[in-house]
Amino acid sequence: MSDLAVATHGLTKRFGSQVAVDTVDLAVPRGSVYGFLGPNGSGKTTTIRMLLGLIGATAGQHELLGAALPEHAADVLPRVGALVEGPGFHPYLSGRDNLRRIDAADRTAGARTSDARIAAALDRVGLGAAAGKRYRTYSLGMKQRLAIAAALLMPRELLILDEPTNGLDPQGTREVRTLVGTLAAEGATVLLSTHLLAEVEQVCTHVGVMHRGKLVAQQPLAGLRSDAAPRVRVLTDQPAQAARVLRTLGLTEVAETAAETTGQLGAVAPEKVVAALVHDGVAVRGFAVVAPSLEDVFVSLTGRGFDVSG
Amino acid sequence: MSAVEVAGVPAAPVRRVSTRFLRSELRLIAVRRRNQVGLAALAAVPVVLAVAMKVAAPDTSDRPGGGPDFFAQITGNGFFVALAALGVELGLFLPIAIAMLAGDAVAGEANQGTLRYLLTVPVGRTRLLAVKYAGIVAGAFLAPLVVAVSGLVIGLILFGGGDVTLLSGSQVGFGEALLRLLGVCLYLGVCLSALGAVGLFLSTLTEQPMGATIALTMLTVASFVLQQIPQLDWLHPYLLTRHWQDFGELLRDPVSFGALTPGLLSAGAYVLVFATAAWARFAGRDVTS
Ligand SMILES: Nc1ncnc2c1ncn2[C@@H]1O[C@H](COP(=O)(O)OP(=O)(O)O)[C@@H](O)[C@H]1O
Ligand SMILES: [Mg+2]
């Protein structure tokens, strides 16, 4: 059995002349919570649509849970729960009736267990009390919760959640993050797309970064962080003098403000920096090695800020 | 509740053969308020018609449409309210009802975003189309039946029943007349099912249900119009609506089933061609809604 829950090989989607997804090789290990990170328009949803067989790939292949799609869609997709591009339900049906309809369409779902499974899924997303209300009266956050409930109607080995916290309030966002953690603890693999760096930092074990249709990085979260060069931060009232010391030691990207000097550490040991500063008589008020934020990492990967892809 | 299977190599899930999805589809159509109102409107037409006839028998000599004239007989026997109402509603109201259902079928689901969730369940695309078409066909048979029952009830109340004089002049008992009316409804159900197949195809072309509904209604009206133009008689045999008014053949003695055959064959051909077209279009289509 493959140890990858999702694997793509050169997956590509072209819309007319635009390449929305460009030779993407995803590798989502089983049991991971994989943050599929990228700004709006970077191709996350398009990739997910291809994974689920909603749209055909222009080029490339992919496997879910070790089986090639679309050939094995009927066997694989029942084991995959999905939320794609926001909720989609019948406005004049209640939340519960909407789930009944989805469950009725599932040939692998038993009719006798239906009511219990629907109630459990609704409870899980905190929608139990509003289950009987018409969908059209739901707030955006409630709609999003119902979509997550729909993905949890059956036991799943893989959950593909496209921006699951969109439209949720801070409380709801926390609940969804907790839920994702619980599902992962129960053994499911979660592929979670998001444009929020904070979301990846808080719940994910792995991260793949999309940028203009390309997967520009893919690793365990810890690895991605440590790959990015740490910086030193010297608090001092002699920033110019400190900057000179740092440069002499071979630190790069040295920058100074009125009260501090920073520089990229590179291969230099931090204790050597402290010793050199003291030796040169720089009055050091504070010293820190700063791990880069994921945002810094992202900028270093893409050479630009975290804004919308064209 | 543990929602996730952890251990072991899971086998492919067992797929059951069940009517759950079909029943869910019929329920979805039935509980929709707009469909209920539409059905009530279909049922109201014979009532309005019968009351108008009761209050003042109108001049029916330059009645539009090419079908047999049942109006003249209404005041004599309430039975004919049902037939007259069917003839009238076949011109526009019944096709619109089918067009509404067809618009909802695929385009409506795409528009609401429910289509992508059905497909990821997964519902196979062929199965989805089959269930959607079954829903339309159910509507196609139910709609004329509702018009007929409503017409019968109001007709009997206002004009009474009794033996029915057929188009060929002979008389049959009320029971046999009812059987013939049922035959009319079934025949029209087949005709409207053919219309529904065209609608299903249109529904796979767009994400706007209203677009599909309007397109199908316009096609129907255009077909009626073309039928009236004698210079286009080479085209007439192929028109969708060509044989719809043939239902009057069931009111002759003896019933000439042979006269109904062209209509049934034409309907079958339309179903075959457009259901195939819908499948060809939908099976490989990108669902980006
Ligand atoms: N159906 C479509 N037709 C044409 N272009 C599309 C379509 N869907 C997405 N795109 C384009 O593909 C790019 C990626 O979109 P998407 O995958 O939705 O990004 P994300 O989910 O990362 O925000 C965007 O530039 C978008 O405009
Ligand atoms: Mg998206």
Side-chain angles (χ1 to χ4, degrees), chain B residues 169-194:
Chain B
S170 50
Q171 281 214 331
V172 295
F174 198 73
E176 185 184 333
L178 282 185
L179 215 59
R180 289 170 183 253
L181 182 59
L182 184 66
V184 168
C185 290
L186 292 178
Y187 179 78
L188 292 181
V190 172
C191 293
L192 293 173
S193 296

PDB file of all heavy atoms in Angstrom, chain B residues 169-194:
ATOM      1  N   GLY B 169     -69.075  10.101 -33.149  1.00  0.00           N
ATOM      2  CA  GLY B 169     -70.528  10.135 -33.065  1.00  0.00           C
ATOM      3  C   GLY B 169     -71.151   9.085 -32.182  1.00  0.00           C
ATOM      4  O   GLY B 169     -72.243   9.268 -31.676  1.00  0.00           O
ATOM      5  N   SER B 170     -70.423   7.956 -31.939  1.00  0.00           N
ATOM      6  CA  SER B 170     -71.000   6.893 -31.119  1.00  0.00           C
ATOM      7  C   SER B 170     -70.896   7.244 -29.640  1.00  0.00           C
ATOM      8  O   SER B 170     -70.135   8.115 -29.250  1.00  0.00           O
ATOM      9  CB  SER B 170     -70.289   5.576 -31.421  1.00  0.00           C
ATOM     10  OG  SER B 170     -68.892   5.761 -31.345  1.00  0.00           O
ATOM     11  N   GLN B 171     -71.667   6.516 -28.837  1.00  0.00           N
ATOM     12  CA  GLN B 171     -71.708   6.796 -27.411  1.00  0.00           C
ATOM     13  C   GLN B 171     -71.045   5.676 -26.621  1.00  0.00           C
ATOM     14  O   GLN B 171     -71.155   4.507 -26.964  1.00  0.00           O
ATOM     15  CB  GLN B 171     -73.166   6.919 -26.953  1.00  0.00           C
ATOM     16  CG  GLN B 171     -73.773   8.275 -27.301  1.00  0.00           C
ATOM     17  CD  GLN B 171     -74.772   8.731 -26.260  1.00  0.00           C
ATOM     18  OE1 GLN B 171     -75.398   7.896 -25.611  1.00  0.00           O
ATOM     19  NE2 GLN B 171     -74.905  10.028 -26.086  1.00  0.00           N
ATOM     20  N   VAL B 172     -70.305   6.047 -25.577  1.00  0.00           N
ATOM     21  CA  VAL B 172     -69.771   5.033 -24.664  1.00  0.00           C
ATOM     22  C   VAL B 172     -70.150   5.421 -23.241  1.00  0.00           C
ATOM     23  O   VAL B 172     -70.450   6.574 -22.957  1.00  0.00           O
ATOM     24  CB  VAL B 172     -68.229   4.919 -24.757  1.00  0.00           C
ATOM     25  CG1 VAL B 172     -67.813   4.419 -26.127  1.00  0.00           C
ATOM     26  CG2 VAL B 172     -67.568   6.247 -24.424  1.00  0.00           C
ATOM     27  N   GLY B 173     -70.112   4.423 -22.337  1.00  0.00           N
ATOM     28  CA  GLY B 173     -70.420   4.691 -20.941  1.00  0.00           C
ATOM     29  C   GLY B 173     -69.348   5.542 -20.296  1.00  0.00           C
ATOM     30  O   GLY B 173     -68.228   5.655 -20.794  1.00  0.00           O
ATOM     31  N   PHE B 174     -69.679   6.118 -19.137  1.00  0.00           N
ATOM     32  CA  PHE B 174     -68.760   7.028 -18.477  1.00  0.00           C
ATOM     33  C   PHE B 174     -67.472   6.296 -18.055  1.00  0.00           C
ATOM     34  O   PHE B 174     -66.390   6.850 -18.116  1.00  0.00           O
ATOM     35  CB  PHE B 174     -69.435   7.672 -17.264  1.00  0.00           C
ATOM     36  CG  PHE B 174     -68.727   8.903 -16.788  1.00  0.00           C
ATOM     37  CD1 PHE B 174     -68.792  10.091 -17.514  1.00  0.00           C
ATOM     38  CD2 PHE B 174     -67.984   8.885 -15.614  1.00  0.00           C
ATOM     39  CE1 PHE B 174     -68.135  11.230 -17.078  1.00  0.00           C
ATOM     40  CE2 PHE B 174     -67.319  10.023 -15.181  1.00  0.00           C
ATOM     41  CZ  PHE B 174     -67.397  11.203 -15.915  1.00  0.00           C
ATOM     42  N   GLY B 175     -67.640   5.032 -17.626  1.00  0.00           N
ATOM     43  CA  GLY B 175     -66.474   4.243 -17.213  1.00  0.00           C
ATOM     44  C   GLY B 175     -65.472   4.088 -18.344  1.00  0.00           C
ATOM     45  O   GLY B 175     -64.272   4.323 -18.162  1.00  0.00           O
ATOM     46  N   GLU B 176     -65.972   3.720 -19.515  1.00  0.00           N
ATOM     47  CA  GLU B 176     -65.059   3.555 -20.638  1.00  0.00           C
ATOM     48  C   GLU B 176     -64.433   4.887 -21.033  1.00  0.00           C
ATOM     49  O   GLU B 176     -63.255   4.964 -21.398  1.00  0.00           O
ATOM     50  CB  GLU B 176     -65.785   2.948 -21.844  1.00  0.00           C
ATOM     51  CG  GLU B 176     -64.799   2.669 -22.968  1.00  0.00           C
ATOM     52  CD  GLU B 176     -65.444   2.162 -24.257  1.00  0.00           C
ATOM     53  OE1 GLU B 176     -66.523   1.552 -24.167  1.00  0.00           O
ATOM     54  OE2 GLU B 176     -64.845   2.383 -25.321  1.00  0.00           O
ATOM     55  N   ALA B 177     -65.220   5.943 -20.920  1.00  0.00           N
ATOM     56  CA  ALA B 177     -64.707   7.279 -21.240  1.00  0.00           C
ATOM     57  C   ALA B 177     -63.537   7.620 -20.319  1.00  0.00           C
ATOM     58  O   ALA B 177     -62.520   8.185 -20.752  1.00  0.00           O
ATOM     59  CB  ALA B 177     -65.818   8.322 -21.087  1.00  0.00           C
ATOM     60  N   LEU B 178     -63.667   7.235 -19.039  1.00  0.00           N
ATOM     61  CA  LEU B 178     -62.578   7.493 -18.097  1.00  0.00           C
ATOM     62  C   LEU B 178     -61.315   6.754 -18.524  1.00  0.00           C
ATOM     63  O   LEU B 178     -60.214   7.289 -18.440  1.00  0.00           O
ATOM     64  CB  LEU B 178     -62.978   7.056 -16.690  1.00  0.00           C
ATOM     65  CG  LEU B 178     -63.911   8.004 -15.924  1.00  0.00           C
ATOM     66  CD1 LEU B 178     -64.123   7.485 -14.502  1.00  0.00           C
ATOM     67  CD2 LEU B 178     -63.354   9.419 -15.900  1.00  0.00           C
ATOM     68  N   LEU B 179     -61.503   5.517 -18.959  1.00  0.00           N
ATOM     69  CA  LEU B 179     -60.355   4.726 -19.405  1.00  0.00           C
ATOM     70  C   LEU B 179     -59.662   5.403 -20.584  1.00  0.00           C
ATOM     71  O   LEU B 179     -58.432   5.446 -20.667  1.00  0.00           O
ATOM     72  CB  LEU B 179     -60.854   3.331 -19.803  1.00  0.00           C
ATOM     73  CG  LEU B 179     -59.898   2.184 -19.508  1.00  0.00           C
ATOM     74  CD1 LEU B 179     -59.570   2.121 -18.024  1.00  0.00           C
ATOM     75  CD2 LEU B 179     -60.502   0.862 -19.985  1.00  0.00           C
ATOM     76  N   ARG B 180     -60.492   5.928 -21.498  1.00  0.00           N
ATOM     77  CA  ARG B 180     -59.914   6.623 -22.647  1.00  0.00           C
ATOM     78  C   ARG B 180     -59.182   7.885 -22.211  1.00  0.00           C
ATOM     79  O   ARG B 180     -58.122   8.233 -22.753  1.00  0.00           O
ATOM     80  CB  ARG B 180     -61.012   6.979 -23.663  1.00  0.00           C
ATOM     81  CG  ARG B 180     -61.536   5.740 -24.386  1.00  0.00           C
ATOM     82  CD  ARG B 180     -62.774   6.073 -25.190  1.00  0.00           C
ATOM     83  NE  ARG B 180     -63.332   4.881 -25.834  1.00  0.00           N
ATOM     84  CZ  ARG B 180     -63.251   4.639 -27.153  1.00  0.00           C
ATOM     85  NH1 ARG B 180     -62.657   5.506 -27.948  1.00  0.00           N
ATOM     86  NH2 ARG B 180     -63.768   3.553 -27.659  1.00  0.00           N
ATOM     87  N   LEU B 181     -59.700   8.557 -21.207  1.00  0.00           N
ATOM     88  CA  LEU B 181     -59.052   9.770 -20.687  1.00  0.00           C
ATOM     89  C   LEU B 181     -57.696   9.406 -20.093  1.00  0.00           C
ATOM     90  O   LEU B 181     -56.699  10.121 -20.289  1.00  0.00           O
ATOM     91  CB  LEU B 181     -59.943  10.430 -19.626  1.00  0.00           C
ATOM     92  CG  LEU B 181     -59.403  11.741 -19.038  1.00  0.00           C
ATOM     93  CD1 LEU B 181     -59.196  12.799 -20.113  1.00  0.00           C
ATOM     94  CD2 LEU B 181     -60.339  12.275 -17.955  1.00  0.00           C
ATOM     95  N   LEU B 182     -57.654   8.299 -19.390  1.00  0.00           N
ATOM     96  CA  LEU B 182     -56.384   7.827 -18.835  1.00  0.00           C
ATOM     97  C   LEU B 182     -55.377   7.582 -19.961  1.00  0.00           C
ATOM     98  O   LEU B 182     -54.192   7.941 -19.868  1.00  0.00           O
ATOM     99  CB  LEU B 182     -56.601   6.549 -18.023  1.00  0.00           C
ATOM    100  CG  LEU B 182     -55.349   6.011 -17.313  1.00  0.00           C
ATOM    101  CD1 LEU B 182     -54.878   6.973 -16.240  1.00  0.00           C
ATOM    102  CD2 LEU B 182     -55.611   4.633 -16.717  1.00  0.00           C
ATOM    103  N   GLY B 183     -55.887   6.983 -21.058  1.00  0.00           N
ATOM    104  CA  GLY B 183     -55.035   6.756 -22.229  1.00  0.00           C
ATOM    105  C   GLY B 183     -54.485   8.068 -22.779  1.00  0.00           C
ATOM    106  O   GLY B 183     -53.307   8.166 -23.136  1.00  0.00           O
ATOM    107  N   VAL B 184     -55.345   9.082 -22.816  1.00  0.00           N
ATOM    108  CA  VAL B 184     -54.912  10.401 -23.289  1.00  0.00           C
ATOM    109  C   VAL B 184     -53.767  10.918 -22.418  1.00  0.00           C
ATOM    110  O   VAL B 184     -52.747  11.411 -22.904  1.00  0.00           O
ATOM    111  CB  VAL B 184     -56.095  11.398 -23.283  1.00  0.00           C
ATOM    112  CG1 VAL B 184     -55.602  12.826 -23.489  1.00  0.00           C
ATOM    113  CG2 VAL B 184     -57.099  11.019 -24.359  1.00  0.00           C
ATOM    114  N   CYS B 185     -53.946  10.773 -21.096  1.00  0.00           N
ATOM    115  CA  CYS B 185     -52.919  11.269 -20.167  1.00  0.00           C
ATOM    116  C   CYS B 185     -51.597  10.533 -20.378  1.00  0.00           C
ATOM    117  O   CYS B 185     -50.530  11.141 -20.357  1.00  0.00           O
ATOM    118  CB  CYS B 185     -53.379  11.108 -18.716  1.00  0.00           C
ATOM    119  SG  CYS B 185     -54.720  12.235 -18.299  1.00  0.00           S
ATOM    120  N   LEU B 186     -51.671   9.231 -20.582  1.00  0.00           N
ATOM    121  CA  LEU B 186     -50.447   8.461 -20.795  1.00  0.00           C
ATOM    122  C   LEU B 186     -49.767   8.885 -22.089  1.00  0.00           C
ATOM    123  O   LEU B 186     -48.546   9.054 -22.141  1.00  0.00           O
ATOM    124  CB  LEU B 186     -50.759   6.957 -20.811  1.00  0.00           C
ATOM    125  CG  LEU B 186     -51.211   6.374 -19.474  1.00  0.00           C
ATOM    126  CD1 LEU B 186     -51.539   4.891 -19.621  1.00  0.00           C
ATOM    127  CD2 LEU B 186     -50.145   6.571 -18.401  1.00  0.00           C
ATOM    128  N   TYR B 187     -50.577   9.067 -23.146  1.00  0.00           N
ATOM    129  CA  TYR B 187     -50.015   9.494 -24.422  1.00  0.00           C
ATOM    130  C   TYR B 187     -49.300  10.837 -24.270  1.00  0.00           C
ATOM    131  O   TYR B 187     -48.178  11.025 -24.735  1.00  0.00           O
ATOM    132  CB  TYR B 187     -51.116   9.588 -25.489  1.00  0.00           C
ATOM    133  CG  TYR B 187     -50.619  10.054 -26.830  1.00  0.00           C
ATOM    134  CD1 TYR B 187     -49.946   9.186 -27.681  1.00  0.00           C
ATOM    135  CD2 TYR B 187     -50.804  11.373 -27.235  1.00  0.00           C
ATOM    136  CE1 TYR B 187     -49.475   9.615 -28.905  1.00  0.00           C
ATOM    137  CE2 TYR B 187     -50.323  11.823 -28.458  1.00  0.00           C
ATOM    138  CZ  TYR B 187     -49.658  10.945 -29.295  1.00  0.00           C
ATOM    139  OH  TYR B 187     -49.183  11.370 -30.511  1.00  0.00           O
ATOM    140  N   LEU B 188     -49.971  11.766 -23.583  1.00  0.00           N
ATOM    141  CA  LEU B 188     -49.355  13.080 -23.389  1.00  0.00           C
ATOM    142  C   LEU B 188     -48.121  12.966 -22.489  1.00  0.00           C
ATOM    143  O   LEU B 188     -47.151  13.714 -22.655  1.00  0.00           O
ATOM    144  CB  LEU B 188     -50.367  14.061 -22.780  1.00  0.00           C
ATOM    145  CG  LEU B 188     -51.519  14.423 -23.717  1.00  0.00           C
ATOM    146  CD1 LEU B 188     -52.456  15.421 -23.055  1.00  0.00           C
ATOM    147  CD2 LEU B 188     -50.981  14.994 -25.026  1.00  0.00           C
ATOM    148  N   GLY B 189     -48.151  12.030 -21.546  1.00  0.00           N
ATOM    149  CA  GLY B 189     -46.968  11.806 -20.703  1.00  0.00           C
ATOM    150  C   GLY B 189     -45.762  11.417 -21.543  1.00  0.00           C
ATOM    151  O   GLY B 189     -44.652  11.901 -21.320  1.00  0.00           O
ATOM    152  N   VAL B 190     -46.015  10.566 -22.548  1.00  0.00           N
ATOM    153  CA  VAL B 190     -44.923  10.168 -23.441  1.00  0.00           C
ATOM    154  C   VAL B 190     -44.417  11.377 -24.232  1.00  0.00           C
ATOM    155  O   VAL B 190     -43.203  11.618 -24.338  1.00  0.00           O
ATOM    156  CB  VAL B 190     -45.383   9.043 -24.392  1.00  0.00           C
ATOM    157  CG1 VAL B 190     -44.323   8.762 -25.444  1.00  0.00           C
ATOM    158  CG2 VAL B 190     -45.685   7.778 -23.595  1.00  0.00           C
ATOM    159  N   CYS B 191     -45.355  12.163 -24.764  1.00  0.00           N
ATOM    160  CA  CYS B 191     -44.963  13.350 -25.544  1.00  0.00           C
ATOM    161  C   CYS B 191     -44.134  14.304 -24.685  1.00  0.00           C
ATOM    162  O   CYS B 191     -43.101  14.827 -25.117  1.00  0.00           O
ATOM    163  CB  CYS B 191     -46.210  14.086 -26.059  1.00  0.00           C
ATOM    164  SG  CYS B 191     -47.144  13.148 -27.267  1.00  0.00           S
ATOM    165  N   LEU B 192     -44.606  14.546 -23.460  1.00  0.00           N
ATOM    166  CA  LEU B 192     -43.899  15.490 -22.591  1.00  0.00           C
ATOM    167  C   LEU B 192     -42.559  14.919 -22.113  1.00  0.00           C
ATOM    168  O   LEU B 192     -41.615  15.663 -21.843  1.00  0.00           O
ATOM    169  CB  LEU B 192     -44.779  15.872 -21.395  1.00  0.00           C
ATOM    170  CG  LEU B 192     -46.032  16.688 -21.752  1.00  0.00           C
ATOM    171  CD1 LEU B 192     -46.927  16.875 -20.535  1.00  0.00           C
ATOM    172  CD2 LEU B 192     -45.656  18.049 -22.344  1.00  0.00           C
ATOM    173  N   SER B 193     -42.470  13.595 -22.021  1.00  0.00           N
ATOM    174  CA  SER B 193     -41.184  12.982 -21.671  1.00  0.00           C
ATOM    175  C   SER B 193     -40.145  13.234 -22.763  1.00  0.00           C
ATOM    176  O   SER B 193     -38.960  13.431 -22.476  1.00  0.00           O
ATOM    177  CB  SER B 193     -41.340  11.476 -21.462  1.00  0.00           C
ATOM    178  OG  SER B 193     -42.173  11.225 -20.358  1.00  0.00           O
ATOM    179  N   ALA B 194     -40.613  13.210 -24.004  1.00  0.00           N
ATOM    180  CA  ALA B 194     -39.703  13.514 -25.109  1.00  0.00           C
ATOM    181  C   ALA B 194     -39.222  14.959 -25.006  1.00  0.00           C
ATOM    182  O   ALA B 194     -38.038  15.262 -25.172  1.00  0.00           O
ATOM    183  CB  ALA B 194     -40.406  13.280 -26.445  1.00  0.00           C
TER     184      ALA B 194
END
